[in-house]
Amino acid sequence: MNEKEVLFKVIATKSKDVENFLQKLVCECELTEKEEVLKEMLSLRYKIYIEELSWVEKNKFSNFEIEVDEFDSQDDIIHLGLFEGNEAVGYIRLLKHRYMINEISSFNKIIKSIKHIPQKREMESTRFCISSKADRLTSFSRILVGLITVCVMNGVVSITTLLESIVRLTAYRKGLPVLHTLGKGGINNLPVEIVSFSMSEDNLENIKSKNPKSLKDINSFKFEFFMDESVKFLSFKEIWQSIKGGK
């Protein structure tokens, strides 16, 4: 397929030096391509969590219309974005070491103050959001495919996350079964659940079979991975051939 015909793409980037990125913003220094991608993702977080929902308070970086918090300073964070053209329309942050469900008091109460110990091949999904300008259900399906792909490529077998109960139900209906439920409760007058999902190739097939309409163009997805200093451009078919040992 001609690159101009590719409308949606999934971009994943590992953030190892967010402090340097933020310093460059403050100094108005030129950003690298990888940093521009990260800025676009953080801008979507700002629009959703600060402007639309008012769930997060502004800080000194809000003047740049981005949303960052203390958890962004960790090593080996994966930022996953669904892009339409150059605009981020979906986002998920994956944490490996410090979990929000352990350190945010309103989250921790839901699992009855029992600290969840991160497992070796597990990550926490946080800051999930989809732009109000995007088709919510279609974008949900697409970013789920991107999430499983990134997890499989990085050896992650399960994702722990806090979700609104309706979002958890939507994920289940779209082919992503729950492994464990760690707790249920309410935040901001919304029913929420802390659950673990299985990240497997079988679940990807479930998602594809249950979402034929929204994923009809899946083979034309463009995946960009800034996992090191170089950028890799892969098609969906190339990714799965690599995972399965194909050539």
Side-chain angles (χ1 to χ4, degrees), residues 23-59:
Q23 186 63 38
K24 290 176 72 173
L25 277 183
V26 172
C27 297
E28 299 183 352
C29 299
E30 184 178 355
L31 301 179
T32 65
E33 182 182 4
K34 175 180 176 179
E35 290 167 338
E36 289 286 2
V37 167
L38 179 59
K39 181 182 178 183
E40 179 63 25
M41 295 182 192
L42 299 179
S43 293
L44 179 60
R45 280 171 48 176
Y46 175 88
K47 293 172 186 174
I48 301 297
Y49 284 95
I50 293 180
E51 289 191 335
E52 294 185 16
L53 297 176
S54 299
W55 285 1
V56 178
E57 294 183 359
K58 291 185 177 182
N59 57 33

PDB file of all heavy atoms in Angstrom, residues 23-59:
ATOM      1  N   GLN A  23      13.309  19.962  29.865  1.00  0.00           N
ATOM      2  CA  GLN A  23      14.244  21.084  29.900  1.00  0.00           C
ATOM      3  C   GLN A  23      14.332  21.745  28.528  1.00  0.00           C
ATOM      4  O   GLN A  23      14.410  22.975  28.422  1.00  0.00           O
ATOM      5  CB  GLN A  23      15.630  20.608  30.352  1.00  0.00           C
ATOM      6  CG  GLN A  23      16.638  21.720  30.552  1.00  0.00           C
ATOM      7  CD  GLN A  23      16.230  22.681  31.655  1.00  0.00           C
ATOM      8  OE1 GLN A  23      15.695  22.276  32.677  1.00  0.00           O
ATOM      9  NE2 GLN A  23      16.468  23.971  31.433  1.00  0.00           N
ATOM     10  N   LYS A  24      14.295  20.935  27.485  1.00  0.00           N
ATOM     11  CA  LYS A  24      14.344  21.493  26.124  1.00  0.00           C
ATOM     12  C   LYS A  24      13.084  22.296  25.821  1.00  0.00           C
ATOM     13  O   LYS A  24      13.136  23.309  25.119  1.00  0.00           O
ATOM     14  CB  LYS A  24      14.527  20.360  25.103  1.00  0.00           C
ATOM     15  CG  LYS A  24      15.910  19.726  25.154  1.00  0.00           C
ATOM     16  CD  LYS A  24      16.041  18.544  24.213  1.00  0.00           C
ATOM     17  CE  LYS A  24      16.099  18.956  22.766  1.00  0.00           C
ATOM     18  NZ  LYS A  24      16.384  17.807  21.866  1.00  0.00           N
ATOM     19  N   LEU A  25      11.952  21.865  26.365  1.00  0.00           N
ATOM     20  CA  LEU A  25      10.720  22.630  26.192  1.00  0.00           C
ATOM     21  C   LEU A  25      10.840  24.000  26.860  1.00  0.00           C
ATOM     22  O   LEU A  25      10.492  25.026  26.272  1.00  0.00           O
ATOM     23  CB  LEU A  25       9.533  21.870  26.796  1.00  0.00           C
ATOM     24  CG  LEU A  25       8.855  20.779  25.974  1.00  0.00           C
ATOM     25  CD1 LEU A  25       7.669  20.218  26.757  1.00  0.00           C
ATOM     26  CD2 LEU A  25       8.371  21.300  24.627  1.00  0.00           C
ATOM     27  N   VAL A  26      11.331  24.003  28.091  1.00  0.00           N
ATOM     28  CA  VAL A  26      11.467  25.240  28.850  1.00  0.00           C
ATOM     29  C   VAL A  26      12.414  26.206  28.140  1.00  0.00           C
ATOM     30  O   VAL A  26      12.161  27.418  28.073  1.00  0.00           O
ATOM     31  CB  VAL A  26      11.970  24.943  30.281  1.00  0.00           C
ATOM     32  CG1 VAL A  26      12.298  26.241  31.010  1.00  0.00           C
ATOM     33  CG2 VAL A  26      10.922  24.143  31.053  1.00  0.00           C
ATOM     34  N   CYS A  27      13.490  25.667  27.586  1.00  0.00           N
ATOM     35  CA  CYS A  27      14.497  26.497  26.916  1.00  0.00           C
ATOM     36  C   CYS A  27      14.142  26.803  25.459  1.00  0.00           C
ATOM     37  O   CYS A  27      14.908  27.484  24.762  1.00  0.00           O
ATOM     38  CB  CYS A  27      15.856  25.803  26.969  1.00  0.00           C
ATOM     39  SG  CYS A  27      16.505  25.578  28.630  1.00  0.00           S
ATOM     40  N   GLU A  28      12.999  26.259  25.024  1.00  0.00           N
ATOM     41  CA  GLU A  28      12.551  26.438  23.639  1.00  0.00           C
ATOM     42  C   GLU A  28      13.579  25.931  22.646  1.00  0.00           C
ATOM     43  O   GLU A  28      13.809  26.517  21.590  1.00  0.00           O
ATOM     44  CB  GLU A  28      12.220  27.906  23.360  1.00  0.00           C
ATOM     45  CG  GLU A  28      11.094  28.446  24.237  1.00  0.00           C
ATOM     46  CD  GLU A  28      10.726  29.874  23.901  1.00  0.00           C
ATOM     47  OE1 GLU A  28      11.436  30.503  23.087  1.00  0.00           O
ATOM     48  OE2 GLU A  28       9.716  30.354  24.430  1.00  0.00           O
ATOM     49  N   CYS A  29      14.220  24.810  23.005  1.00  0.00           N
ATOM     50  CA  CYS A  29      15.183  24.188  22.101  1.00  0.00           C
ATOM     51  C   CYS A  29      14.451  23.321  21.078  1.00  0.00           C
ATOM     52  O   CYS A  29      13.330  22.874  21.311  1.00  0.00           O
ATOM     53  CB  CYS A  29      16.169  23.322  22.890  1.00  0.00           C
ATOM     54  SG  CYS A  29      17.149  24.243  24.094  1.00  0.00           S
ATOM     55  N   GLU A  30      15.106  23.085  19.961  1.00  0.00           N
ATOM     56  CA  GLU A  30      14.511  22.258  18.919  1.00  0.00           C
ATOM     57  C   GLU A  30      14.389  20.810  19.404  1.00  0.00           C
ATOM     58  O   GLU A  30      15.328  20.255  19.978  1.00  0.00           O
ATOM     59  CB  GLU A  30      15.353  22.311  17.653  1.00  0.00           C
ATOM     60  CG  GLU A  30      14.747  21.541  16.486  1.00  0.00           C
ATOM     61  CD  GLU A  30      15.569  21.656  15.224  1.00  0.00           C
ATOM     62  OE1 GLU A  30      16.572  22.415  15.238  1.00  0.00           O
ATOM     63  OE2 GLU A  30      15.229  20.998  14.223  1.00  0.00           O
ATOM     64  N   LEU A  31      13.243  20.208  19.171  1.00  0.00           N
ATOM     65  CA  LEU A  31      12.992  18.836  19.599  1.00  0.00           C
ATOM     66  C   LEU A  31      13.326  17.854  18.487  1.00  0.00           C
ATOM     67  O   LEU A  31      13.199  18.173  17.299  1.00  0.00           O
ATOM     68  CB  LEU A  31      11.521  18.659  19.997  1.00  0.00           C
ATOM     69  CG  LEU A  31      10.990  19.534  21.128  1.00  0.00           C
ATOM     70  CD1 LEU A  31       9.508  19.239  21.362  1.00  0.00           C
ATOM     71  CD2 LEU A  31      11.785  19.330  22.407  1.00  0.00           C
ATOM     72  N   THR A  32      13.758  16.666  18.884  1.00  0.00           N
ATOM     73  CA  THR A  32      13.983  15.604  17.905  1.00  0.00           C
ATOM     74  C   THR A  32      12.633  15.061  17.433  1.00  0.00           C
ATOM     75  O   THR A  32      11.580  15.362  18.011  1.00  0.00           O
ATOM     76  CB  THR A  32      14.793  14.456  18.519  1.00  0.00           C
ATOM     77  OG1 THR A  32      14.013  13.850  19.568  1.00  0.00           O
ATOM     78  CG2 THR A  32      16.108  14.967  19.095  1.00  0.00           C
ATOM     79  N   GLU A  33      12.663  14.239  16.401  1.00  0.00           N
ATOM     80  CA  GLU A  33      11.419  13.633  15.903  1.00  0.00           C
ATOM     81  C   GLU A  33      10.739  12.809  16.995  1.00  0.00           C
ATOM     82  O   GLU A  33       9.526  12.869  17.181  1.00  0.00           O
ATOM     83  CB  GLU A  33      11.714  12.748  14.691  1.00  0.00           C
ATOM     84  CG  GLU A  33      10.466  12.109  14.081  1.00  0.00           C
ATOM     85  CD  GLU A  33      10.799  11.203  12.914  1.00  0.00           C
ATOM     86  OE1 GLU A  33      11.992  11.006  12.616  1.00  0.00           O
ATOM     87  OE2 GLU A  33       9.850  10.673  12.296  1.00  0.00           O
ATOM     88  N   LYS A  34      11.549  12.050  17.746  1.00  0.00           N
ATOM     89  CA  LYS A  34      11.016  11.240  18.835  1.00  0.00           C
ATOM     90  C   LYS A  34      10.370  12.118  19.897  1.00  0.00           C
ATOM     91  O   LYS A  34       9.304  11.797  20.426  1.00  0.00           O
ATOM     92  CB  LYS A  34      12.143  10.405  19.445  1.00  0.00           C
ATOM     93  CG  LYS A  34      11.755   9.596  20.669  1.00  0.00           C
ATOM     94  CD  LYS A  34      12.942   8.813  21.201  1.00  0.00           C
ATOM     95  CE  LYS A  34      12.608   8.075  22.476  1.00  0.00           C
ATOM     96  NZ  LYS A  34      13.746   7.282  23.002  1.00  0.00           N
ATOM     97  N   GLU A  35      10.985  13.248  20.221  1.00  0.00           N
ATOM     98  CA  GLU A  35      10.449  14.145  21.241  1.00  0.00           C
ATOM     99  C   GLU A  35       9.177  14.841  20.765  1.00  0.00           C
ATOM    100  O   GLU A  35       8.269  15.108  21.557  1.00  0.00           O
ATOM    101  CB  GLU A  35      11.520  15.168  21.634  1.00  0.00           C
ATOM    102  CG  GLU A  35      12.675  14.540  22.411  1.00  0.00           C
ATOM    103  CD  GLU A  35      13.876  15.460  22.533  1.00  0.00           C
ATOM    104  OE1 GLU A  35      14.011  16.393  21.692  1.00  0.00           O
ATOM    105  OE2 GLU A  35      14.690  15.250  23.448  1.00  0.00           O
ATOM    106  N   GLU A  36       9.098  15.152  19.472  1.00  0.00           N
ATOM    107  CA  GLU A  36       7.877  15.747  18.926  1.00  0.00           C
ATOM    108  C   GLU A  36       6.705  14.773  19.045  1.00  0.00           C
ATOM    109  O   GLU A  36       5.577  15.179  19.348  1.00  0.00           O
ATOM    110  CB  GLU A  36       8.089  16.143  17.459  1.00  0.00           C
ATOM    111  CG  GLU A  36       9.004  17.329  17.240  1.00  0.00           C
ATOM    112  CD  GLU A  36       8.366  18.658  17.612  1.00  0.00           C
ATOM    113  OE1 GLU A  36       7.212  18.676  18.080  1.00  0.00           O
ATOM    114  OE2 GLU A  36       9.042  19.692  17.441  1.00  0.00           O
ATOM    115  N   VAL A  37       6.984  13.491  18.811  1.00  0.00           N
ATOM    116  CA  VAL A  37       5.954  12.467  18.954  1.00  0.00           C
ATOM    117  C   VAL A  37       5.493  12.388  20.406  1.00  0.00           C
ATOM    118  O   VAL A  37       4.295  12.332  20.695  1.00  0.00           O
ATOM    119  CB  VAL A  37       6.485  11.093  18.481  1.00  0.00           C
ATOM    120  CG1 VAL A  37       5.562   9.965  18.922  1.00  0.00           C
ATOM    121  CG2 VAL A  37       6.631  11.088  16.961  1.00  0.00           C
ATOM    122  N   LEU A  38       6.450  12.386  21.340  1.00  0.00           N
ATOM    123  CA  LEU A  38       6.119  12.340  22.758  1.00  0.00           C
ATOM    124  C   LEU A  38       5.303  13.564  23.167  1.00  0.00           C
ATOM    125  O   LEU A  38       4.320  13.450  23.921  1.00  0.00           O
ATOM    126  CB  LEU A  38       7.397  12.255  23.592  1.00  0.00           C
ATOM    127  CG  LEU A  38       7.215  12.233  25.113  1.00  0.00           C
ATOM    128  CD1 LEU A  38       6.363  11.052  25.545  1.00  0.00           C
ATOM    129  CD2 LEU A  38       8.574  12.195  25.810  1.00  0.00           C
ATOM    130  N   LYS A  39       5.677  14.728  22.679  1.00  0.00           N
ATOM    131  CA  LYS A  39       4.955  15.952  23.008  1.00  0.00           C
ATOM    132  C   LYS A  39       3.505  15.864  22.542  1.00  0.00           C
ATOM    133  O   LYS A  39       2.579  16.292  23.259  1.00  0.00           O
ATOM    134  CB  LYS A  39       5.639  17.163  22.366  1.00  0.00           C
ATOM    135  CG  LYS A  39       4.954  18.481  22.700  1.00  0.00           C
ATOM    136  CD  LYS A  39       5.615  19.662  22.009  1.00  0.00           C
ATOM    137  CE  LYS A  39       4.876  20.954  22.312  1.00  0.00           C
ATOM    138  NZ  LYS A  39       5.463  22.115  21.589  1.00  0.00           N
ATOM    139  N   GLU A  40       3.277  15.312  21.369  1.00  0.00           N
ATOM    140  CA  GLU A  40       1.917  15.176  20.847  1.00  0.00           C
ATOM    141  C   GLU A  40       1.085  14.262  21.744  1.00  0.00           C
ATOM    142  O   GLU A  40      -0.087  14.519  22.018  1.00  0.00           O
ATOM    143  CB  GLU A  40       1.958  14.629  19.418  1.00  0.00           C
ATOM    144  CG  GLU A  40       0.608  14.419  18.769  1.00  0.00           C
ATOM    145  CD  GLU A  40      -0.194  15.690  18.578  1.00  0.00           C
ATOM    146  OE1 GLU A  40       0.405  16.777  18.492  1.00  0.00           O
ATOM    147  OE2 GLU A  40      -1.439  15.600  18.530  1.00  0.00           O
ATOM    148  N   MET A  41       1.695  13.168  22.227  1.00  0.00           N
ATOM    149  CA  MET A  41       0.979  12.260  23.127  1.00  0.00           C
ATOM    150  C   MET A  41       0.636  12.957  24.446  1.00  0.00           C
ATOM    151  O   MET A  41      -0.485  12.827  24.961  1.00  0.00           O
ATOM    152  CB  MET A  41       1.832  11.021  23.406  1.00  0.00           C
ATOM    153  CG  MET A  41       2.109  10.147  22.199  1.00  0.00           C
ATOM    154  SD  MET A  41       3.073   8.687  22.703  1.00  0.00           S
ATOM    155  CE  MET A  41       3.566   8.018  21.120  1.00  0.00           C
ATOM    156  N   LEU A  42       1.605  13.685  25.003  1.00  0.00           N
ATOM    157  CA  LEU A  42       1.379  14.377  26.272  1.00  0.00           C
ATOM    158  C   LEU A  42       0.370  15.509  26.111  1.00  0.00           C
ATOM    159  O   LEU A  42      -0.325  15.873  27.071  1.00  0.00           O
ATOM    160  CB  LEU A  42       2.701  14.916  26.822  1.00  0.00           C
ATOM    161  CG  LEU A  42       3.776  13.869  27.134  1.00  0.00           C
ATOM    162  CD1 LEU A  42       5.046  14.551  27.660  1.00  0.00           C
ATOM    163  CD2 LEU A  42       3.274  12.845  28.142  1.00  0.00           C
ATOM    164  N   SER A  43       0.278  16.059  24.921  1.00  0.00           N
ATOM    165  CA  SER A  43      -0.727  17.095  24.647  1.00  0.00           C
ATOM    166  C   SER A  43      -2.133  16.508  24.683  1.00  0.00           C
ATOM    167  O   SER A  43      -3.075  17.163  25.155  1.00  0.00           O
ATOM    168  CB  SER A  43      -0.468  17.741  23.282  1.00  0.00           C
ATOM    169  OG  SER A  43       0.736  18.480  23.278  1.00  0.00           O
ATOM    170  N   LEU A  44      -2.283  15.281  24.187  1.00  0.00           N
ATOM    171  CA  LEU A  44      -3.593  14.628  24.264  1.00  0.00           C
ATOM    172  C   LEU A  44      -3.963  14.387  25.730  1.00  0.00           C
ATOM    173  O   LEU A  44      -5.119  14.585  26.130  1.00  0.00           O
ATOM    174  CB  LEU A  44      -3.585  13.311  23.498  1.00  0.00           C
ATOM    175  CG  LEU A  44      -4.903  12.518  23.532  1.00  0.00           C
ATOM    176  CD1 LEU A  44      -6.047  13.333  22.940  1.00  0.00           C
ATOM    177  CD2 LEU A  44      -4.758  11.187  22.787  1.00  0.00           C
ATOM    178  N   ARG A  45      -3.006  13.962  26.546  1.00  0.00           N
ATOM    179  CA  ARG A  45      -3.259  13.801  27.981  1.00  0.00           C
ATOM    180  C   ARG A  45      -3.733  15.115  28.596  1.00  0.00           C
ATOM    181  O   ARG A  45      -4.653  15.135  29.428  1.00  0.00           O
ATOM    182  CB  ARG A  45      -1.994  13.309  28.688  1.00  0.00           C
ATOM    183  CG  ARG A  45      -1.750  11.827  28.553  1.00  0.00           C
ATOM    184  CD  ARG A  45      -0.388  11.386  29.060  1.00  0.00           C
ATOM    185  NE  ARG A  45      -0.031  11.898  30.385  1.00  0.00           N
ATOM    186  CZ  ARG A  45       1.095  11.552  31.014  1.00  0.00           C
ATOM    187  NH1 ARG A  45       1.944  10.699  30.445  1.00  0.00           N
ATOM    188  NH2 ARG A  45       1.372  12.044  32.203  1.00  0.00           N
ATOM    189  N   TYR A  46      -3.124  16.215  28.201  1.00  0.00           N
ATOM    190  CA  TYR A  46      -3.509  17.531  28.716  1.00  0.00           C
ATOM    191  C   TYR A  46      -4.957  17.852  28.342  1.00  0.00           C
ATOM    192  O   TYR A  46      -5.751  18.288  29.189  1.00  0.00           O
ATOM    193  CB  TYR A  46      -2.565  18.597  28.157  1.00  0.00           C
ATOM    194  CG  TYR A  46      -2.927  20.017  28.529  1.00  0.00           C
ATOM    195  CD1 TYR A  46      -2.454  20.577  29.717  1.00  0.00           C
ATOM    196  CD2 TYR A  46      -3.733  20.796  27.698  1.00  0.00           C
ATOM    197  CE1 TYR A  46      -2.780  21.884  30.068  1.00  0.00           C
ATOM    198  CE2 TYR A  46      -4.076  22.092  28.044  1.00  0.00           C
ATOM    199  CZ  TYR A  46      -3.602  22.634  29.231  1.00  0.00           C
ATOM    200  OH  TYR A  46      -3.944  23.915  29.581  1.00  0.00           O
ATOM    201  N   LYS A  47      -5.299  17.632  27.088  1.00  0.00           N
ATOM    202  CA  LYS A  47      -6.648  17.949  26.621  1.00  0.00           C
ATOM    203  C   LYS A  47      -7.711  17.140  27.359  1.00  0.00           C
ATOM    204  O   LYS A  47      -8.775  17.664  27.696  1.00  0.00           O
ATOM    205  CB  LYS A  47      -6.748  17.687  25.115  1.00  0.00           C
ATOM    206  CG  LYS A  47      -5.916  18.624  24.261  1.00  0.00           C
ATOM    207  CD  LYS A  47      -5.912  18.188  22.798  1.00  0.00           C
ATOM    208  CE  LYS A  47      -4.966  19.028  21.976  1.00  0.00           C
ATOM    209  NZ  LYS A  47      -4.836  18.539  20.577  1.00  0.00           N
ATOM    210  N   ILE A  48      -7.410  15.845  27.611  1.00  0.00           N
ATOM    211  CA  ILE A  48      -8.403  14.970  28.234  1.00  0.00           C
ATOM    212  C   ILE A  48      -8.430  15.142  29.746  1.00  0.00           C
ATOM    213  O   ILE A  48      -9.486  15.434  30.339  1.00  0.00           O
ATOM    214  CB  ILE A  48      -8.126  13.492  27.880  1.00  0.00           C
ATOM    215  CG1 ILE A  48      -8.156  13.283  26.361  1.00  0.00           C
ATOM    216  CG2 ILE A  48      -9.144  12.595  28.587  1.00  0.00           C
ATOM    217  CD1 ILE A  48      -9.485  13.561  25.710  1.00  0.00           C
ATOM    218  N   TYR A  49      -7.285  14.977  30.406  1.00  0.00           N
ATOM    219  CA  TYR A  49      -7.261  14.913  31.870  1.00  0.00           C
ATOM    220  C   TYR A  49      -7.322  16.269  32.560  1.00  0.00           C
ATOM    221  O   TYR A  49      -7.798  16.364  33.699  1.00  0.00           O
ATOM    222  CB  TYR A  49      -6.029  14.134  32.340  1.00  0.00           C
ATOM    223  CG  TYR A  49      -6.189  12.655  32.149  1.00  0.00           C
ATOM    224  CD1 TYR A  49      -5.692  12.018  31.013  1.00  0.00           C
ATOM    225  CD2 TYR A  49      -6.862  11.882  33.082  1.00  0.00           C
ATOM    226  CE1 TYR A  49      -5.867  10.654  30.816  1.00  0.00           C
ATOM    227  CE2 TYR A  49      -7.041  10.519  32.898  1.00  0.00           C
ATOM    228  CZ  TYR A  49      -6.533   9.918  31.770  1.00  0.00           C
ATOM    229  OH  TYR A  49      -6.724   8.567  31.576  1.00  0.00           O
ATOM    230  N   ILE A  50      -6.865  17.327  31.881  1.00  0.00           N
ATOM    231  CA  ILE A  50      -6.892  18.654  32.491  1.00  0.00           C
ATOM    232  C   ILE A  50      -8.039  19.501  31.946  1.00  0.00           C
ATOM    233  O   ILE A  50      -8.852  20.036  32.706  1.00  0.00           O
ATOM    234  CB  ILE A  50      -5.543  19.373  32.298  1.00  0.00           C
ATOM    235  CG1 ILE A  50      -4.442  18.650  33.089  1.00  0.00           C
ATOM    236  CG2 ILE A  50      -5.634  20.835  32.739  1.00  0.00           C
ATOM    237  CD1 ILE A  50      -3.070  19.281  32.978  1.00  0.00           C
ATOM    238  N   GLU A  51      -8.134  19.607  30.620  1.00  0.00           N
ATOM    239  CA  GLU A  51      -9.150  20.486  30.041  1.00  0.00           C
ATOM    240  C   GLU A  51     -10.553  19.884  30.088  1.00  0.00           C
ATOM    241  O   GLU A  51     -11.507  20.563  30.486  1.00  0.00           O
ATOM    242  CB  GLU A  51      -8.789  20.827  28.596  1.00  0.00           C
ATOM    243  CG  GLU A  51      -7.602  21.770  28.456  1.00  0.00           C
ATOM    244  CD  GLU A  51      -7.435  22.285  27.048  1.00  0.00           C
ATOM    245  OE1 GLU A  51      -7.889  21.600  26.094  1.00  0.00           O
ATOM    246  OE2 GLU A  51      -6.855  23.369  26.877  1.00  0.00           O
ATOM    247  N   GLU A  52     -10.703  18.622  29.672  1.00  0.00           N
ATOM    248  CA  GLU A  52     -12.045  18.048  29.552  1.00  0.00           C
ATOM    249  C   GLU A  52     -12.567  17.469  30.864  1.00  0.00           C
ATOM    250  O   GLU A  52     -13.713  17.719  31.246  1.00  0.00           O
ATOM    251  CB  GLU A  52     -12.060  16.968  28.459  1.00  0.00           C
ATOM    252  CG  GLU A  52     -11.816  17.517  27.062  1.00  0.00           C
ATOM    253  CD  GLU A  52     -11.963  16.444  25.984  1.00  0.00           C
ATOM    254  OE1 GLU A  52     -12.543  15.376  26.265  1.00  0.00           O
ATOM    255  OE2 GLU A  52     -11.494  16.691  24.860  1.00  0.00           O
ATOM    256  N   LEU A  53     -11.749  16.699  31.570  1.00  0.00           N
ATOM    257  CA  LEU A  53     -12.222  15.997  32.765  1.00  0.00           C
ATOM    258  C   LEU A  53     -11.915  16.734  34.069  1.00  0.00           C
ATOM    259  O   LEU A  53     -12.587  16.504  35.083  1.00  0.00           O
ATOM    260  CB  LEU A  53     -11.594  14.593  32.826  1.00  0.00           C
ATOM    261  CG  LEU A  53     -11.949  13.649  31.676  1.00  0.00           C
ATOM    262  CD1 LEU A  53     -11.176  12.339  31.803  1.00  0.00           C
ATOM    263  CD2 LEU A  53     -13.453  13.373  31.640  1.00  0.00           C
ATOM    264  N   SER A  54     -10.885  17.580  34.039  1.00  0.00           N
ATOM    265  CA  SER A  54     -10.433  18.289  35.252  1.00  0.00           C
ATOM    266  C   SER A  54     -10.097  17.312  36.373  1.00  0.00           C
ATOM    267  O   SER A  54     -10.331  17.580  37.556  1.00  0.00           O
ATOM    268  CB  SER A  54     -11.521  19.271  35.734  1.00  0.00           C
ATOM    269  OG  SER A  54     -11.790  20.240  34.756  1.00  0.00           O
ATOM    270  N   TRP A  55      -9.529  16.169  36.018  1.00  0.00           N
ATOM    271  CA  TRP A  55      -9.136  15.159  37.002  1.00  0.00           C
ATOM    272  C   TRP A  55      -7.719  15.387  37.519  1.00  0.00           C
ATOM    273  O   TRP A  55      -7.342  14.839  38.548  1.00  0.00           O
ATOM    274  CB  TRP A  55      -9.230  13.760  36.394  1.00  0.00           C
ATOM    275  CG  TRP A  55     -10.632  13.252  36.264  1.00  0.00           C
ATOM    276  CD1 TRP A  55     -11.776  13.919  36.610  1.00  0.00           C
ATOM    277  CD2 TRP A  55     -11.043  11.985  35.748  1.00  0.00           C
ATOM    278  NE1 TRP A  55     -12.880  13.152  36.343  1.00  0.00           N
ATOM    279  CE2 TRP A  55     -12.461  11.951  35.808  1.00  0.00           C
ATOM    280  CE3 TRP A  55     -10.368  10.888  35.240  1.00  0.00           C
ATOM    281  CZ2 TRP A  55     -13.194  10.859  35.389  1.00  0.00           C
ATOM    282  CZ3 TRP A  55     -11.099   9.798  34.810  1.00  0.00           C
ATOM    283  CH2 TRP A  55     -12.505   9.778  34.882  1.00  0.00           C
ATOM    284  N   VAL A  56      -6.937  16.178  36.783  1.00  0.00           N
ATOM    285  CA  VAL A  56      -5.540  16.405  37.149  1.00  0.00           C
ATOM    286  C   VAL A  56      -5.309  17.903  37.275  1.00  0.00           C
ATOM    287  O   VAL A  56      -5.771  18.688  36.443  1.00  0.00           O
ATOM    288  CB  VAL A  56      -4.590  15.815  36.081  1.00  0.00           C
ATOM    289  CG1 VAL A  56      -3.138  16.095  36.429  1.00  0.00           C
ATOM    290  CG2 VAL A  56      -4.827  14.313  35.923  1.00  0.00           C
ATOM    291  N   GLU A  57      -4.603  18.306  38.329  1.00  0.00           N
ATOM    292  CA  GLU A  57      -4.307  19.717  38.530  1.00  0.00           C
ATOM    293  C   GLU A  57      -3.164  20.166  37.610  1.00  0.00           C
ATOM    294  O   GLU A  57      -2.287  19.382  37.262  1.00  0.00           O
ATOM    295  CB  GLU A  57      -3.919  19.975  39.985  1.00  0.00           C
ATOM    296  CG  GLU A  57      -5.054  19.742  40.969  1.00  0.00           C
ATOM    297  CD  GLU A  57      -4.644  20.084  42.378  1.00  0.00           C
ATOM    298  OE1 GLU A  57      -3.474  20.487  42.588  1.00  0.00           O
ATOM    299  OE2 GLU A  57      -5.495  19.954  43.280  1.00  0.00           O
ATOM    300  N   LYS A  58      -3.208  21.418  37.256  1.00  0.00           N
ATOM    301  CA  LYS A  58      -2.150  21.973  36.420  1.00  0.00           C
ATOM    302  C   LYS A  58      -0.852  22.083  37.209  1.00  0.00           C
ATOM    303  O   LYS A  58      -0.854  22.211  38.427  1.00  0.00           O
ATOM    304  CB  LYS A  58      -2.538  23.359  35.893  1.00  0.00           C
ATOM    305  CG  LYS A  58      -3.666  23.338  34.867  1.00  0.00           C
ATOM    306  CD  LYS A  58      -3.906  24.729  34.316  1.00  0.00           C
ATOM    307  CE  LYS A  58      -4.968  24.715  33.231  1.00  0.00           C
ATOM    308  NZ  LYS A  58      -5.199  26.052  32.649  1.00  0.00           N
ATOM    309  N   ASN A  59       0.280  22.018  36.498  1.00  0.00           N
ATOM    310  CA  ASN A  59       1.577  22.249  37.110  1.00  0.00           C
ATOM    311  C   ASN A  59       2.387  23.168  36.194  1.00  0.00           C
ATOM    312  O   ASN A  59       1.852  23.726  35.235  1.00  0.00           O
ATOM    313  CB  ASN A  59       2.315  20.931  37.391  1.00  0.00           C
ATOM    314  CG  ASN A  59       2.507  20.081  36.138  1.00  0.00           C
ATOM    315  OD1 ASN A  59       2.676  20.610  35.034  1.00  0.00           O
ATOM    316  ND2 ASN A  59       2.491  18.778  36.300  1.00  0.00           N
TER     317      ASN A  59
END
